[in-house]
């Protein structure tokens, strides 16, 4: 309950040059006022307005102040505001010679106080009430009162207007509270939208805004605005092996350390540190002076991230890839600077020692090239320009082609061919790798069905699958749908996954692989030996085939070929009863070695290059004729032909 009954909150200013009238106001608004008649009506009203807190007779209490001139009244209102003791009502006589009249005083009072109720009191002509509302707005806070008035009338009016003043104030307060609440909620939502919840650092969106602000400020100051992007190497592996909580703690520690190092101390206090992506951070530094300083900064960032982190009681040594670009040299706005820094970062990720990479113009070509490619790729998938080529896999024991690998090619209308290394990662970045996979899968199934129908050839085909597909819980359903609609036997389809893809998120991949295997689709591990060499996972997965990575096969061409790694992989595969394929076999010598070591199948340019579906049929025909001729004439027991 508010304190309406507290006289200090029911402050009334009466202004009249007639001292007698002022006495009358004071009398009728005083606590001791004894109305001669209609007492019950008045106290009923006051009770309604002022609640239980009226005095024992139910009368409201007023604090009455008086002035005898308009100017003095304005001053009194100003002082009251200063003291924080606003008037609820000002009764203003209209004519108060020699000073300003009541109307002028009302205008000046209104300028000072928007909420006070002003009552103009006149004995003669009555001012037009509508005009008053327009001249001294708001219209609901200006009143007209005729004198001489009855004391009871005056008290009744004062009680009603004080009640209104309190109600208005409560409403304003409620509105202000609501506005504050809305502002707080908006700020909280903005925080969610602009800050990463794990590290509490600015996210990618805010980083863009921050770089924009830094660039704008830099227009009138010296120095470059530098964006340094950092990618934590093997972060998903840390997550996988040490647990999600440890991964989260590590991200927080990296963020904290970078902020402490660059935002809290030293020369670059205006630096912004943020989380740019899952395992990527950004450091934005304004006012950097020259190349030497940029280099020193980037090295400082590397040192900061690569000093050991204590996680779960263990020292963790990280490696970071770092890409750097800056305004105004590499881009005129925040987006182009970030794009350049990203291009440099990707170059750094791909480099062997993850050297700090500074953006240069050749990457600009790639960045723009990528941009154009994105739009083209979407259309290419829709228009069926992505086609599988097939590379045969030859048995080292029978000499027969016992399988093929489908390798996607983007064949442009002008006949030029884009390799999968250009568009598969792009499709993943664009989030359309599932669409690409479906398109390749459909083409493969159509080709398999066609071979079956036309020459009754049932050849198993291996299709490459990327990490994104393994996160799709409906992968089995999707494959089932395609196989059924193309009427293809499920045992003819194998999926190839690289070791790194599998290990990236084994917990997600495992159930999907189990479902696929249960359905009857084969699982092959591609590029085996280049991953993180956690062999224990092999035993847990429904795998049939290991494809030995080309890099090991390439080494077999040295004069003193070191065969030990390949030998070990083959021994491991055999022990686990897996089929072994040697990839990238280019020479007769390599072919001979892998065959001697007991590898089951060989794939590589020595046997044949990948080729379109229609060529594969001709090639196979020719290949088999040659094989049988050779066998018949006893020249070479097993050999192969180059396409
Ligand atoms: P991969 O699955 O390991 O395929 C083998 C790659 O080695 C192919 O490159 C093939 O053309 C090449 N190759 C085969 N024999 C030899 C040889 O004797 N010497 C050398 N130097 N290279 C040889 P390609 O076709 O450029 O494919 C590259 C990678 O792109 C593939 O590696 C695979 O990981 C990926 N890829 C291809 N098609 C698809 C697809 O449809 N989906 C997905 N997700 N990835 C695909
Ligand atoms: Mg493959
Ligand atoms: Mg491979």
């Amino acid at each position: 309950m508010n304190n309406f009954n507290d006289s200090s909150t029911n402050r009334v200013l009466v202004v009249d040059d007639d001292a007698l009238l002022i006495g009358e106001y004071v009398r009728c608004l005083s606590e001791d006022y004894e109305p001669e008649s209609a007492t019950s009506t008045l106290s009923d009203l006051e009770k309604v307005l002022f609640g239980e807190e009226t005095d024992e007779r139910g009368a409201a209490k007023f604090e009455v102040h008086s002035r005898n001139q308009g100017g003095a009244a304005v001053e009194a209102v100003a002082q009251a505001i200063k003291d924080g003791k606003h008037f609820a009502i000002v009764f203003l006589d209209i004519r108060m010679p020699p000073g300003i009249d009541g109307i002028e005083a009302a205008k000046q009072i209104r300028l000072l106080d928007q909420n006070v109720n002003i009552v103009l009191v006149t004995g003669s002509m009555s001012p037009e009430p509508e005009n008053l509302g327009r001249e001294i707005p708001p219209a609901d806070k200006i009143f007209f009162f005729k004198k001489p008035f009855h004391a009871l009338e005056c008290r009744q009016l004062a009680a009603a207007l004080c009640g209104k003043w309190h109600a208005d104030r409560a409403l304003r307060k409620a509105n202000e509270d609501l506005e504050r609440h809305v502002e707080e909620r908006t700020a909280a939502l903005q925080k969610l939208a602009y800050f990463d919840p794990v590290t509490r650092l600015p996210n990618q969106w805010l980083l863009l805004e921050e770089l924009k602000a830094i660039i704008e400020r830099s227009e009138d100051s010296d120095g470059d605005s530098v964006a340094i992007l950092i990618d934590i190497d093997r972060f998903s592996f840390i997550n996988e092996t040490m647990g999600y909580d440890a991964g989260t703690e590590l991200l927080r520690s990296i963020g904290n350390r970078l902020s402490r190092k660059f935002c809290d101390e030293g020369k670059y206090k205006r630096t912004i540190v943020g989380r740019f992506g899952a395992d990527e951070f950004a450091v934005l530094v304004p006012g950097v002076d020259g190349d030497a300083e940029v280099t020193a900064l980037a090295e400082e960032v590397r040192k900061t991230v690569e000093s050991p982190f204590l996680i779960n009681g263990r020292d963790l040594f990280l490696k970071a890839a770092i890409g750097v670009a800056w305004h105004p040299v590499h881009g005129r706005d925040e987006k182009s600077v970030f794009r350049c820094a990203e291009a440099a970062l990707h170059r750094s990720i791909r480099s062997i020692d993850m050297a700090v990479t500074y953006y240069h113009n050749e990457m600009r070509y790639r960045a723009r090239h990528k941009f154009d490619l994105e739009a083209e790729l979407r259309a290419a998938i829709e228009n069926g320009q992505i086609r599988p080529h097939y590379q045969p896999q030859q048995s080292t024991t029978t000499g027969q082609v016992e399988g093929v690998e489908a390798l996607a090619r983007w064949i442009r209308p002008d006949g030029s061919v884009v390799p999968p290394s250009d568009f598969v990662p792009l499709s993943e970045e664009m989030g359309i790798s599932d669409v690409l996979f479906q398109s390749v899968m459909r083409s493969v199934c159509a080709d398999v069905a066609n071979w079956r129908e036309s020459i009754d050839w049932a050849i198993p085909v291996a299709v490459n699958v990327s990490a994104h597909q393994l996160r799709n819980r409906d992968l089995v359903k999707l494959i089932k749908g395609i196989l059924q609609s193309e009427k293809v036997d499920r045992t003819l389809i194998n999926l190839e996954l690289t070791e790194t893809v599998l290990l990236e998120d084994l917990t997600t991949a495992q159930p999907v692989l189990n479902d696929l295997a249960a359905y009857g689709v084969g699982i092959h591990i591609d590029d085996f030996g280049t991953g993180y060499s956690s062999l224990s996972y092999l035993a847990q997965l429904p795998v049939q085939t290991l494809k030995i990575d080309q890099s090991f096969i390439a080494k077999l061409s040295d004069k003193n070929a070191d065969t030990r790694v390949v030998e070990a992989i083959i021994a491991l595969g055999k022990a686990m009863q897996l089929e072994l394929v040697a990839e990238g076999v280019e020479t007769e010598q390599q072919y001979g070695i892998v065959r001697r070591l007991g590898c089951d199948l060989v794939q590589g340019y020595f046997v044949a290059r990948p080729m379109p579906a229609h060529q594969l049929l001709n090639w196979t025909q020719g290949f088999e004729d040659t094989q049988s001729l050779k066998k018949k004439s006893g020249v070479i027991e097993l050999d192969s032909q180059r396409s």
Side-chain angles (χ1 to χ4, degrees):
M1 193 81 192
N2 47 30
N3 50 345
F4 289 171
N5 190 43
D6 177 353
S7 63
S8 67
T9 66
N10 293 332
R11 285 163 55 85
V12 179
L13 178 64
V14 294
V15 189
D16 204 301
D17 56 345
D18 182 344
L20 277 176
L21 204 68
I22 289 198
E24 180 59 14
Y25 278 120
V26 172
R27 190 182 70 79
C28 71
L29 296 178
S30 78
E31 267 184 68
D32 318 323
Y33 172 69
E34 285 290 350
E36 303 98 43
S37 60
T39 321
S40 64
T41 322
L42 180 63
S43 50
D44 283 353
L45 170 72
E46 293 183 3
K47 254 208 165 108
V48 169
L49 289 169
F50 298 97
E52 296 305 316
E53 295 172 17
T54 41
D55 68 13
E56 61 282 358
R57 292 167 302 129
K61 297 183 208 158
F62 302 98
E63 181 185 305
V64 184
H65 296 252
S66 65
R67 294 291 184 276
N68 60 2
Q69 282 294 302
V74 176
E75 277 168 24
V77 169
Q79 188 60 45
I81 292 169
K82 224 188 211 164
D83 299 342
K85 293 176 165 180
H86 294 64
F87 286 109
I89 314 171
V90 179
F91 283 95
L92 267 175
D93 185 20
I94 289 205
R95 284 173 48 83
M96 291 177 285
I100 55 170
D101 66 11
I103 304 236
E104 179 54 31
K107 284 180 187 164
Q108 293 185 21
I109 287 172
R110 177 56 78 230
L111 286 179
L112 295 172
D113 187 335
Q114 299 300 306
N115 304 309
V116 64
N117 292 299
I118 300 175
V119 182
L120 289 165
V121 187
T122 177
S124 52
M125 49 68 161
S126 51
E128 283 290 323
E130 284 160 37
N131 284 350
L132 270 184
R134 216 168 301 136
E135 270 181 62
I136 311 166
D140 68 335
K141 289 194 173 73
I142 184 107
F143 302 89
F144 176 65
F145 194 41
K146 192 124 166 43
K147 65 180 178 185
F149 47 77
H150 192 284
L152 201 59
E153 251 179 343
C154 175
R155 188 172 175 93
Q156 209 171 26
L157 180 62
L161 290 186
C162 277
K164 177 176 177 308
W165 185 80
H166 284 291
D168 286 350
R169 196 164 68 157
L171 188 65
R172 274 198 311 281
K173 169 126 189 358
N175 274 337
E176 277 165 21
D177 286 351
L178 184 67
E179 259 168 43
R180 194 165 351 102
H181 186 67
V182 169
E183 266 168 29
E184 281 166 9
R185 291 286 305 152
T186 314
L189 284 174
Q190 242 170 9
K191 217 170 164 142
L192 270 182
Y194 280 114
F195 287 86
D196 164 50
V198 172
T199 58
R200 298 182 199 281
L201 292 175
N203 64 14
Q204 206 178 78
W205 310 121
L206 186 54
L207 280 167
L208 262 170
E209 307 255 312
E210 293 283 8
L211 186 59
K212 184 173 177 205
I214 288 176
I215 288 173
E216 276 165 9
R217 280 200 303 269
S218 76
E219 307 286 9
D220 37 57
S221 75
D222 283 336
D224 297 328
S225 309
V226 180
I228 303 175
L229 295 184
I230 305 146
D231 178 282
I232 308 302
D233 184 35
R234 297 174 54 168
F235 178 73
S236 46
F237 181 64
I238 294 167
N239 242 348
E240 189 70 50
T241 49
M242 295 183 67
Y244 189 77
D245 288 345
T248 306
E249 194 189 331
L250 176 64
L251 287 175
R252 271 194 202 126
S253 306
I254 298 171
N256 283 343
R257 193 189 280 177
L258 282 169
S259 304
R260 262 201 317 274
K261 177 79 199 165
F262 293 97
C263 313
D264 300 349
E265 58 181 54
K267 149 167 206 213
Y268 301 111
K269 273 201 185 123
R270 278 155 54 225
T271 294
I272 306 284
V273 168
R275 186 168 175 204
F276 194 67
D279 55 356
E280 285 175 14
F281 288 84
V283 178
L284 311 177
V285 196
V288 181
D289 190 14
D291 291 2
E293 210 173 307
V294 176
T295 314
L297 250 172
E299 281 309 328
E300 199 60 44
V301 167
R302 176 192 281 296
K303 247 179 42 206
T304 309
V305 178
E306 294 191 352
S307 313
F309 284 90
L310 189 68
I311 303 287
N312 285 357
R314 270 174 56 185
D315 267 344
L316 207 63
F317 290 83
L318 301 180
K319 258 201 98 47
I322 293 174
V324 191
W326 56 95
H327 171 273
V329 180
H330 301 130
R332 296 246 136 240
D333 58 31
E334 69 284 0
K335 285 193 185 133
S336 41
V337 172
F338 266 123
R339 203 178 303 141
C340 294
E342 273 191 282
L345 179 68
H346 286 128
R347 173 66 62 93
S348 172
I349 291 173
R350 284 197 302 270
S351 69
I352 293 171
D353 56 350
M354 296 200 173
V356 172
T357 305
Y358 302 90
Y359 181 80
H360 58 79
N361 277 335
E362 186 244 336
M363 292 182 212
R364 179 186 301 276
Y365 168 73
R366 286 188 65 82
R368 193 172 301 150
H369 182 60
K370 180 181 148 193
F371 188 72
D372 295 340
L373 267 184
E374 278 194 8
E376 249 191 281
L377 179 57
R378 258 178 225 283
I381 298 175
E382 273 168 30
N383 302 335
Q385 288 174 22
I386 312 275
R387 302 281 316 157
H389 278 199
Y390 297 94
Q391 189 174 33
Q393 296 170 334
Q394 186 192 358
S395 159
T396 55
T397 48
T398 66
Q400 300 297 310
V401 173
E402 300 208 336
V404 291
E405 176 175 7
L407 294 156
R409 299 285 179 268
W410 173 0
I411 300 161
R412 286 215 175 97
D414 64 4
S416 61
V417 178
V418 184
S421 52
D422 270 10
F423 65 84
V424 171
L426 187 65
S427 75
E428 290 176 1
E429 277 169 44
M430 290 167 65
I432 56 169
S433 69
D434 279 344
V435 186
L436 175 68
F437 172 73
Q438 285 177 48
S439 150
V440 171
M441 195 71 194
R442 264 182 217 291
S443 304
V444 166
C445 287
D447 289 337
V448 170
N450 181 37
W451 293 327
R452 189 79 194 244
E453 216 164 273
S454 55
I455 54 162
D456 195 24
W457 190 38
I459 185 87
V461 183
V463 181
N464 290 282
V465 171
S466 67
H468 284 251
Q469 271 92 56
L470 281 192
R471 289 190 207 113
N472 181 356
R473 283 222 132 260
D474 289 334
L475 186 63
V476 182
K477 219 159 96 191
L478 191 144
I479 292 177
K480 230 184 206 173
I482 299 176
L483 292 188
Q484 275 167 1
S485 76
E486 300 290 339
K487 299 194 180 61
V488 166
D489 180 355
R490 62 188 82 170
T491 58
L492 290 181
I493 299 295
N494 299 307
L495 298 181
E496 275 191 18
L497 308 138
T498 64
E499 212 181 349
T500 27
V501 157
L502 271 180
L503 291 184
E504 216 167 81
D505 194 353
L506 198 53
T507 355
T508 316
Q510 176 106 44
V512 179
L513 291 185
N514 289 342
D515 288 354
L516 285 166
Y519 174 58
V521 167
I523 311 285
H524 296 183
I525 308 261
D526 205 353
D527 304 347
F528 185 78
T530 55
Y532 300 131
S533 310
S534 157
L535 296 177
S536 57
Y537 80 92
L538 264 185
Q540 304 163 27
L541 296 175
V543 173
Q544 287 91 51
T545 301
L546 289 188
K547 295 185 75 176
I548 307 166
D549 190 64
Q550 334 196 336
S551 57
F552 301 116
I553 308 298
K555 289 195 189 112
L556 297 179
S557 47
D558 295 344
K559 260 229 158 99
N560 298 317
D562 184 355
T563 58
R564 276 175 301 183
V565 177
V566 177
E567 219 173 336
I569 295 176
I570 293 176
L572 168 85
K574 295 271 173 217
M576 300 182 78
Q577 294 172 327
L578 300 174
E579 180 185 53
L580 286 140
V581 182
E583 268 195 292
V585 173
E586 293 186 353
T587 65
E588 192 172 347
Q589 184 198 18
Q590 291 166 353
Y591 186 101
I593 297 173
V594 294
R595 184 172 159 236
R596 181 167 51 75
L597 294 177
C599 194
D600 305 294
L601 295 173
V602 163
Q603 179 184 343
Y605 297 166
F606 184 67
V607 179
R609 285 178 182 262
M611 61 191 98
H614 63 274
Q615 267 182 35
L616 181 69
L617 274 189
N618 296 339
W619 179 88
T620 316
Q621 218 67 57
F623 176 77
E624 278 172 2
D625 292 349
T626 322
Q627 292 298 308
S628 57
L629 248 172
K630 279 177 183 166
K631 266 189 190 165
K632 263 189 213 149
S633 61
V635 182
I636 310 173
E637 190 198 343
L638 286 168
D639 197 351
S640 41
Q641 116 186 14
R642 289 159 191 268
S643 68

